[in-house]
Amino acid sequence: MCAAYATFGLAPAMRAGGVLHDGGYQVHRDFVDFIVDGRPLLFRLSDLDAVSPLASDVPPAIFTAQVRSLLLESPAPLPDGRYVVYGCPECEDLACGAVTAVIRQDGEDFIWRDFAWQTDEHADLDLNGYHGIGPFRFRGAEYRTALNALLNGSAPDTRRRVLLIGARVAVLAKLAAALRTIGVGADIAHDADGVPADELRAYGAVAFGHAIGERDRAAVRRAFEEAEVPVAYVDGLAPIVPLLVAQIEHALDQGPVARRRLTGLTAADGGADIEVTSACRVTLTAYRLDRLSRTHTHDVFDGVLEPGRHRVALDAGAVKGRSYIVARTSGSVLVTAVTH
């Protein structure tokens, strides 16, 4: 058993939703991630699209039950003292696969060990064990304080509504529908005048269309400032719904940059430069508007990248004219215009 202690903490995280050009979509999920020795535990699992059981969209009674379960105040949900640490972001079915671990107490300490990928009631450590992860020994006081804070109303704020302000009603309607499909609430308005502060507090981001002038933008910002509601502001790059959804998803990411997998993206004619902090799967999609304002979409990269900076070649035909690149991991999204 490990002799050294690991630090334990919690931090807001998200599974980035998105509208895919093939007609599919990914659901947006906000959750609380486990921070072990200052780093998200999920980042040790290089290519895993998953969320912790501490998701913000589960009913309060279930959220509380999950927290108390991690405090070992209720029996383990799986045989051999195993608990789900990360599960499928689309559903809660164990058959989809989950990362589980044995959690037990040793005196005042809490120990997480025997991490494994599990798809049925019993885990096969030889076949599906994460042999390079753990065991972790956490000091009991630190562990309880972090989890009890969630029970005492200190859960991270996860506002998943977006205020859309623009002149192109058809584009706004399509964008609002797309956001609602992935689990992000959206409202359309011309301004924020006269909106009560309590209503403004429901928003985590405001997205402006191209036709909204600086005077009107300043008035919206002033309304949120007077209500003392901090929000992220998004300047829509182009009337392309999947691109705008990606911009909004990035704006809704509350995690500090140091705890994101995807931290840098620039693009020019010849290639895209991407920076990641841990091994993860990255996809790059190019969106282009032609002279008739028709949208063209190209998949330009899909692969696992190691930590560091990487350059991916861009086909000239995919990024000519007004074009944009969306880089995506399971938990992060970045968007940039292609510089010519």
Side-chain angles (χ1 to χ4, degrees):
M1 184 58 63
C2 53
Y5 283 99
T7 62
F8 181 86
L10 300 169
M14 78 174 193
R15 188 269 188 139
V19 176
L20 309 179
H21 67 270
D22 62 2
Y25 64 89
Q26 288 186 171
V27 174
H28 177 109
R29 299 291 304 277
D30 292 300
F31 64 99
V32 179
D33 201 3
F34 308 111
I35 308 300
V36 178
D37 285 337
R39 184 181 180 218
L41 180 60
L42 185 59
F43 286 14
R44 299 173 189 258
L45 308 165
S46 63
D47 188 21
L48 183 66
D49 182 13
V51 299
S52 82
L54 305 178
S56 66
D57 54 355
V58 301
I62 295 178
F63 186 92
T64 297
Q66 295 286 8
V67 175
R68 295 198 180 282
S69 177
L70 294 171
L71 287 166
L72 304 187
E73 295 178 6
S74 58
L78 297 171
D80 305 317
R82 303 194 71 83
Y83 295 76
V84 173
V85 179
Y86 294 108
C88 174
E90 301 286 348
C91 68
E92 299 179 4
D93 193 342
L94 185 62
C96 289
V99 177
T100 67
V102 173
I103 301 178
R104 69 176 186 85
Q105 275 192 266
D106 183 18
E108 289 295 309
D109 299 340
F110 286 79
I111 296 173
W112 289 23
R113 61 176 175 83
D114 297 338
F115 289 82
W117 178 253
Q118 193 166 342
T119 56
D120 54 32
E121 195 173 46
H122 295 279
D124 187 333
L125 291 178
D126 292 331
L127 184 63
N128 297 314
Y130 287 101
H131 302 294
I133 299 179
F136 302 114
R137 178 184 289 269
F138 305 117
R139 289 181 172 85
E142 180 182 57
Y143 185 88
R144 290 191 187 89
T145 297
L147 288 168
N148 280 323
L150 299 179
L151 300 176
N152 297 330
S154 300
D157 179 25
T158 51
R159 288 171 293 157
R160 287 193 295 155
R161 294 197 70 79
V162 180
L163 183 61
L164 308 177
I165 298 181
R168 301 182 65 171
V169 177
V171 173
L172 293 179
K174 291 179 181 178
L175 177 56
L179 288 169
R180 292 166 187 154
T181 296
I182 68 172
V184 176
D187 298 310
I188 300 172
H190 295 292
D191 54 50
D193 294 343
V195 180
D198 285 345
E199 292 185 25
L200 294 180
R201 291 191 185 96
Y203 297 108
V206 177
F208 295 112
H210 268 301
I212 302 301
E214 187 51 44
R215 182 177 179 179
D216 292 330
R217 294 172 188 238
V220 172
R221 293 189 183 98
R222 187 165 55 251
F224 278 90
E225 289 169 1
E226 291 175 354
E228 299 182 344
V229 179
V231 294
Y233 294 99
V234 177
D235 293 320
L237 288 173
I240 302 172
V241 170
L243 180 71
L244 295 171
V245 169
Q247 283 190 266
I248 290 169
E249 281 291 284
H250 172 67
L252 291 174
D253 191 349
Q254 300 179 34
V257 173
R259 288 181 181 163
R260 298 181 189 178
R261 278 180 160 165
L262 187 59
T263 55
L265 174 66
T266 58
D269 287 325
D273 292 301
I274 312 153
E275 190 166 356
V276 296
T277 59
S278 66
C280 58
R281 180 188 176 194
V282 177
T283 62
L284 293 184
T285 306
Y287 296 93
R288 179 176 67 85
L289 287 174
D290 64 19
R291 288 178 295 176
L292 299 178
S293 295
R294 295 173 300 192
T295 301
H296 300 266
T297 307
H298 301 270
D299 293 324
V300 295
F301 180 78
D302 185 348
V304 175
L305 298 178
E306 295 299 318
R309 193 172 181 85
H310 305 266
R311 186 166 181 81
V312 175
L314 296 176
D315 179 80
V319 294
K320 66 181 179 180
R322 292 176 59 192
S323 53
Y324 311 88
I325 297 292
V326 174
R328 178 183 295 277
T329 70
S330 62
S332 303
V333 178
L334 286 179
V335 181
T336 189
V338 178
T339 301
H340 294 282

